[in-house]
Amino acid sequence: MIQLKNSSQISAMIDAGRITGEALLVARESVREGMSTKELDSIIRAYIEKCGAKPSFLGYNGFPGSACISINDEVIHGIPSEKRIFREGDLVKVDVGAFYRGFHGDSARTIPVGKVSDEAKRLTEVTRNSFFAGVEAFKSGNRIGDIGNAIQTVVENGGFSVVKRYIGHGIGKDLHESPEVPNFGTAGRGARLCVGMALAIEPMVNVGACDVYELSDGWTVKTRDKTLSAHYENTVVLTSEGTVITTLVDKDW
Ligand code: MG
Ligand code: MG
């Protein structure tokens, strides 16, 4: 069942979203060559806790980190580790959640370490653009399939592929709520969108094929063909005045 949010719940979601978005800004400022993913995770956790919030991912189904940090051909759910060190040219996906005033924010960005390839830059840009195309389609009367179709169109026109095995989701008091929000689909299909819905819209985009697999660590998801992957996610609420992207702190990022 889809949990619609009233205005006081939306105000709490905006606060949780802001902290989530700020934690990603801190991550962007912190990432550098030679740093471990564990070190970055600790910085993110410290920021969230300093704000009086809780990292949504810590302990979620046993996840040991506060952020998922995935490098290059890792798509999502990378486990922070002292052994994973950022190298010049890496494409890093940081996915963060903060729980505050009873609600979650969930957001991800793709961050370059130093100078990355032109392909990595274009992948990052197309992934971000596809998110905003999805948000354009998030309006009353439209359906879930309109969001996925808009995302998929931008990604495929860019010559890349969307991951189909992992998808976006409703969000609120729980990190993952109904409905499912695929990054692909048929316009006009699926649940109808209405005011009060809160969604984590999160395209995961591969340079090569859409096929992915999970490592034996039970978390890390990688591209099957070892090509680069990018991720861009925000928590978005549909209000009577339109969409509010709660986790978007830097409008240009
Ligand atoms: Mg996320
Ligand atoms: Mg999510």
Side-chain angles (χ1 to χ4, degrees), residues 23-62:
L24 281 168
L25 293 188
V26 169
R28 179 178 65 179
E29 285 154 21
S30 305
V31 167
R32 57 180 163 75
E33 191 183 8
M35 173 184 275
S36 73
T37 59
K38 175 74 186 166
E39 199 179 338
L40 182 62
D41 183 70
S42 301
I43 291 167
I44 290 165
R45 178 177 182 169
Y47 183 79
I48 292 171
E49 290 178 342
K50 192 182 88 178
C51 295
K54 274 174 48 179
S56 303
F57 302 172
L58 190 61
Y60 186 85
N61 289 335

Short mmCIF file of all heavy atoms in Angstrom, two decimals, residues 23-62:
data_model
loop_
_atom_site.label_atom_id
_atom_site.label_comp_id
_atom_site.label_asym_id
_atom_site.label_seq_id
_atom_site.Cartn_x
_atom_site.Cartn_y
_atom_site.Cartn_z
N ALA A 23 25.09 15.59 3.58
CA ALA A 23 26.10 14.53 3.80
C ALA A 23 26.81 14.19 2.49
O ALA A 23 28.01 13.90 2.48
CB ALA A 23 25.42 13.29 4.39
N LEU A 24 26.07 14.26 1.38
CA LEU A 24 26.70 14.01 0.07
C LEU A 24 27.63 15.15 -0.33
O LEU A 24 28.67 14.91 -0.95
CB LEU A 24 25.62 13.79 -0.99
CG LEU A 24 25.00 12.39 -0.96
CD1 LEU A 24 23.75 12.34 -1.83
CD2 LEU A 24 26.01 11.33 -1.41
N LEU A 25 27.28 16.39 0.03
CA LEU A 25 28.20 17.50 -0.23
C LEU A 25 29.50 17.29 0.54
O LEU A 25 30.60 17.52 0.02
CB LEU A 25 27.59 18.84 0.19
CG LEU A 25 26.39 19.36 -0.58
CD1 LEU A 25 26.06 20.78 -0.13
CD2 LEU A 25 26.62 19.33 -2.07
N VAL A 26 29.37 16.85 1.79
CA VAL A 26 30.55 16.56 2.60
C VAL A 26 31.38 15.46 1.93
O VAL A 26 32.61 15.53 1.86
CB VAL A 26 30.13 16.15 4.04
CG1 VAL A 26 31.30 15.60 4.83
CG2 VAL A 26 29.50 17.34 4.77
N ALA A 27 30.68 14.44 1.40
CA ALA A 27 31.38 13.36 0.70
C ALA A 27 32.14 13.90 -0.51
O ALA A 27 33.30 13.57 -0.72
CB ALA A 27 30.39 12.28 0.26
N ARG A 28 31.50 14.76 -1.28
CA ARG A 28 32.13 15.32 -2.48
C ARG A 28 33.39 16.10 -2.11
O ARG A 28 34.41 16.02 -2.79
CB ARG A 28 31.15 16.24 -3.20
CG ARG A 28 31.74 16.89 -4.45
CD ARG A 28 30.74 17.75 -5.18
NE ARG A 28 30.34 18.91 -4.40
CZ ARG A 28 29.48 19.83 -4.82
NH1 ARG A 28 28.92 19.74 -6.01
NH2 ARG A 28 29.16 20.84 -4.05
N GLU A 29 33.29 16.86 -1.01
CA GLU A 29 34.45 17.66 -0.59
C GLU A 29 35.57 16.78 -0.03
O GLU A 29 36.73 17.19 -0.02
CB GLU A 29 34.03 18.68 0.48
CG GLU A 29 33.25 19.85 -0.09
CD GLU A 29 32.33 20.50 0.94
OE1 GLU A 29 32.56 20.33 2.15
OE2 GLU A 29 31.37 21.17 0.50
N SER A 30 35.21 15.60 0.45
CA SER A 30 36.19 14.76 1.15
C SER A 30 36.93 13.77 0.25
O SER A 30 38.08 13.42 0.53
CB SER A 30 35.49 13.96 2.25
OG SER A 30 34.79 14.84 3.12
N VAL A 31 36.27 13.31 -0.81
CA VAL A 31 36.85 12.25 -1.65
C VAL A 31 38.19 12.70 -2.22
O VAL A 31 38.30 13.78 -2.79
CB VAL A 31 35.90 11.88 -2.81
CG1 VAL A 31 36.62 11.03 -3.86
CG2 VAL A 31 34.69 11.12 -2.29
N ARG A 32 39.21 11.88 -2.04
CA ARG A 32 40.51 12.17 -2.65
C ARG A 32 41.28 10.87 -2.82
O ARG A 32 40.99 9.86 -2.15
CB ARG A 32 41.31 13.17 -1.81
CG ARG A 32 41.54 12.71 -0.40
CD ARG A 32 42.34 13.69 0.43
NE ARG A 32 42.16 13.40 1.84
CZ ARG A 32 42.71 12.39 2.49
NH1 ARG A 32 43.50 11.55 1.85
NH2 ARG A 32 42.48 12.19 3.78
N GLU A 33 42.24 10.93 -3.73
CA GLU A 33 43.08 9.78 -4.01
C GLU A 33 43.78 9.35 -2.71
O GLU A 33 44.23 10.20 -1.93
CB GLU A 33 44.13 10.17 -5.06
CG GLU A 33 44.88 8.99 -5.60
CD GLU A 33 45.96 9.40 -6.58
OE1 GLU A 33 46.24 10.60 -6.73
OE2 GLU A 33 46.53 8.48 -7.19
N GLY A 34 43.83 8.04 -2.47
CA GLY A 34 44.52 7.52 -1.30
C GLY A 34 43.62 7.29 -0.10
O GLY A 34 44.00 6.62 0.85
N MET A 35 42.41 7.86 -0.14
CA MET A 35 41.47 7.67 0.97
C MET A 35 40.77 6.32 0.81
O MET A 35 40.51 5.87 -0.31
CB MET A 35 40.43 8.79 0.94
CG MET A 35 39.30 8.63 1.94
SD MET A 35 38.06 9.95 1.78
CE MET A 35 38.80 11.20 2.80
N SER A 36 40.47 5.66 1.93
CA SER A 36 39.72 4.41 1.85
C SER A 36 38.22 4.69 1.87
O SER A 36 37.78 5.74 2.37
CB SER A 36 40.09 3.48 3.01
OG SER A 36 39.53 3.95 4.22
N THR A 37 37.45 3.74 1.36
CA THR A 37 36.00 3.90 1.38
C THR A 37 35.48 3.90 2.82
O THR A 37 34.48 4.53 3.13
CB THR A 37 35.30 2.81 0.55
OG1 THR A 37 35.63 1.52 1.07
CG2 THR A 37 35.70 2.87 -0.91
N LYS A 38 36.20 3.24 3.70
CA LYS A 38 35.82 3.20 5.12
C LYS A 38 35.98 4.59 5.76
O LYS A 38 35.13 5.02 6.55
CB LYS A 38 36.72 2.18 5.84
CG LYS A 38 36.52 2.10 7.34
CD LYS A 38 35.24 1.39 7.70
CE LYS A 38 35.00 1.46 9.20
NZ LYS A 38 33.62 1.08 9.52
N GLU A 39 37.08 5.25 5.37
CA GLU A 39 37.33 6.59 5.90
C GLU A 39 36.22 7.55 5.46
O GLU A 39 35.71 8.34 6.25
CB GLU A 39 38.69 7.08 5.41
CG GLU A 39 39.29 8.22 6.21
CD GLU A 39 40.67 8.64 5.67
OE1 GLU A 39 41.34 7.84 4.99
OE2 GLU A 39 41.05 9.78 5.92
N LEU A 40 35.84 7.46 4.19
CA LEU A 40 34.76 8.33 3.69
C LEU A 40 33.46 8.00 4.42
O LEU A 40 32.70 8.91 4.79
CB LEU A 40 34.59 8.14 2.18
CG LEU A 40 33.51 9.03 1.55
CD1 LEU A 40 33.83 10.51 1.71
CD2 LEU A 40 33.32 8.67 0.08
N ASP A 41 33.20 6.73 4.64
CA ASP A 41 31.99 6.32 5.36
C ASP A 41 31.95 6.93 6.76
O ASP A 41 30.90 7.40 7.22
CB ASP A 41 31.96 4.79 5.45
CG ASP A 41 30.70 4.28 6.11
OD1 ASP A 41 29.62 4.39 5.51
OD2 ASP A 41 30.80 3.79 7.26
N SER A 42 33.10 6.96 7.42
CA SER A 42 33.15 7.52 8.78
C SER A 42 32.86 9.01 8.77
O SER A 42 32.19 9.53 9.68
CB SER A 42 34.53 7.28 9.40
OG SER A 42 34.80 5.91 9.44
N ILE A 43 33.35 9.71 7.76
CA ILE A 43 33.10 11.15 7.64
C ILE A 43 31.61 11.41 7.43
O ILE A 43 31.02 12.31 8.05
CB ILE A 43 33.95 11.73 6.46
CG1 ILE A 43 35.43 11.70 6.81
CG2 ILE A 43 33.50 13.14 6.11
CD1 ILE A 43 36.37 11.94 5.61
N ILE A 44 30.99 10.59 6.59
CA ILE A 44 29.55 10.73 6.32
C ILE A 44 28.73 10.45 7.58
O ILE A 44 27.82 11.19 7.94
CB ILE A 44 29.14 9.78 5.17
CG1 ILE A 44 29.74 10.28 3.84
CG2 ILE A 44 27.63 9.64 5.07
CD1 ILE A 44 29.71 9.26 2.71
N ARG A 45 29.10 9.38 8.27
CA ARG A 45 28.38 9.03 9.50
C ARG A 45 28.49 10.15 10.53
O ARG A 45 27.49 10.53 11.17
CB ARG A 45 28.96 7.75 10.09
CG ARG A 45 28.29 7.36 11.39
CD ARG A 45 28.82 6.06 11.94
NE ARG A 45 28.11 5.71 13.18
CZ ARG A 45 28.20 4.55 13.78
NH1 ARG A 45 28.95 3.59 13.28
NH2 ARG A 45 27.53 4.32 14.88
N ALA A 46 29.69 10.69 10.68
CA ALA A 46 29.90 11.76 11.67
C ALA A 46 29.04 12.97 11.33
O ALA A 46 28.44 13.59 12.22
CB ALA A 46 31.38 12.14 11.70
N TYR A 47 28.94 13.29 10.05
CA TYR A 47 28.12 14.45 9.67
C TYR A 47 26.65 14.21 10.00
O TYR A 47 25.98 15.06 10.59
CB TYR A 47 28.28 14.80 8.17
CG TYR A 47 27.48 16.04 7.87
CD1 TYR A 47 27.99 17.29 8.20
CD2 TYR A 47 26.17 15.96 7.39
CE1 TYR A 47 27.23 18.44 8.02
CE2 TYR A 47 25.40 17.09 7.21
CZ TYR A 47 25.93 18.33 7.52
OH TYR A 47 25.17 19.46 7.38
N ILE A 48 26.13 13.05 9.63
CA ILE A 48 24.71 12.74 9.87
C ILE A 48 24.41 12.79 11.37
O ILE A 48 23.41 13.37 11.81
CB ILE A 48 24.35 11.36 9.27
CG1 ILE A 48 24.40 11.43 7.74
CG2 ILE A 48 22.97 10.90 9.74
CD1 ILE A 48 24.29 10.07 7.04
N GLU A 49 25.30 12.22 12.16
CA GLU A 49 25.07 12.17 13.61
C GLU A 49 25.20 13.56 14.23
O GLU A 49 24.48 13.90 15.17
CB GLU A 49 26.01 11.14 14.25
CG GLU A 49 25.59 9.71 13.84
CD GLU A 49 26.48 8.61 14.39
OE1 GLU A 49 27.62 8.91 14.80
OE2 GLU A 49 26.02 7.44 14.38
N LYS A 50 26.10 14.37 13.70
CA LYS A 50 26.25 15.75 14.18
C LYS A 50 24.94 16.54 13.98
O LYS A 50 24.60 17.42 14.77
CB LYS A 50 27.39 16.44 13.40
CG LYS A 50 27.83 17.76 13.99
CD LYS A 50 28.91 18.43 13.16
CE LYS A 50 28.30 19.29 12.07
NZ LYS A 50 29.28 20.01 11.27
N CYS A 51 24.19 16.18 12.95
CA CYS A 51 22.91 16.84 12.67
C CYS A 51 21.77 16.30 13.55
O CYS A 51 20.63 16.75 13.43
CB CYS A 51 22.53 16.65 11.21
SG CYS A 51 23.65 17.44 10.06
N GLY A 52 22.07 15.32 14.38
CA GLY A 52 21.04 14.73 15.24
C GLY A 52 20.22 13.68 14.52
O GLY A 52 19.14 13.29 15.00
N ALA A 53 20.71 13.24 13.37
CA ALA A 53 20.00 12.22 12.59
C ALA A 53 20.71 10.87 12.72
O ALA A 53 21.77 10.78 13.34
CB ALA A 53 19.94 12.64 11.13
N LYS A 54 20.07 9.85 12.15
CA LYS A 54 20.68 8.51 12.16
C LYS A 54 20.95 8.08 10.73
O LYS A 54 20.10 8.29 9.85
CB LYS A 54 19.73 7.50 12.81
CG LYS A 54 19.86 7.45 14.33
CD LYS A 54 18.84 6.57 14.98
CE LYS A 54 18.69 5.19 14.33
NZ LYS A 54 17.70 4.35 15.01
N PRO A 55 22.09 7.43 10.48
CA PRO A 55 22.32 6.90 9.12
C PRO A 55 21.32 5.78 8.84
O PRO A 55 21.27 4.79 9.56
CB PRO A 55 23.75 6.35 9.19
CG PRO A 55 24.35 6.89 10.46
CD PRO A 55 23.20 7.14 11.39
N SER A 56 20.51 5.97 7.80
CA SER A 56 19.44 5.00 7.50
C SER A 56 19.96 3.62 7.16
O SER A 56 19.30 2.62 7.39
CB SER A 56 18.62 5.50 6.30
OG SER A 56 18.10 6.77 6.54
N PHE A 57 21.15 3.56 6.57
CA PHE A 57 21.65 2.28 6.04
C PHE A 57 22.35 1.44 7.10
O PHE A 57 22.49 0.23 6.94
CB PHE A 57 22.63 2.49 4.88
CG PHE A 57 22.09 3.25 3.70
CD1 PHE A 57 22.93 3.64 2.67
CD2 PHE A 57 20.74 3.58 3.61
CE1 PHE A 57 22.45 4.34 1.58
CE2 PHE A 57 20.25 4.29 2.52
CZ PHE A 57 21.10 4.67 1.50
N LEU A 58 22.83 2.09 8.16
CA LEU A 58 23.64 1.38 9.15
C LEU A 58 22.80 0.31 9.84
O LEU A 58 21.82 0.61 10.53
CB LEU A 58 24.19 2.38 10.17
CG LEU A 58 25.24 1.86 11.15
CD1 LEU A 58 26.49 1.37 10.43
CD2 LEU A 58 25.60 2.95 12.17
N GLY A 59 23.17 -0.95 9.62
CA GLY A 59 22.42 -2.05 10.22
C GLY A 59 21.21 -2.48 9.41
O GLY A 59 20.54 -3.46 9.77
N TYR A 60 20.90 -1.78 8.31
CA TYR A 60 19.75 -2.14 7.50
C TYR A 60 20.00 -3.50 6.84
O TYR A 60 20.93 -3.63 6.04
CB TYR A 60 19.50 -1.05 6.44
CG TYR A 60 18.24 -1.26 5.62
CD1 TYR A 60 17.01 -0.80 6.10
CD2 TYR A 60 18.27 -1.91 4.40
CE1 TYR A 60 15.85 -0.99 5.37
CE2 TYR A 60 17.11 -2.11 3.66
CZ TYR A 60 15.91 -1.64 4.15
OH TYR A 60 14.76 -1.83 3.43
N ASN A 61 19.18 -4.48 7.19
CA ASN A 61 19.42 -5.87 6.74
C ASN A 61 20.85 -6.32 7.00
O ASN A 61 21.41 -7.12 6.26
CB ASN A 61 19.11 -6.03 5.24
CG ASN A 61 17.62 -5.94 4.95
OD1 ASN A 61 16.79 -6.22 5.81
ND2 ASN A 61 17.28 -5.51 3.75
N GLY A 62 21.44 -5.73 8.06
CA GLY A 62 22.80 -6.12 8.43
C GLY A 62 23.90 -5.35 7.72
O GLY A 62 25.09 -5.67 7.89
#
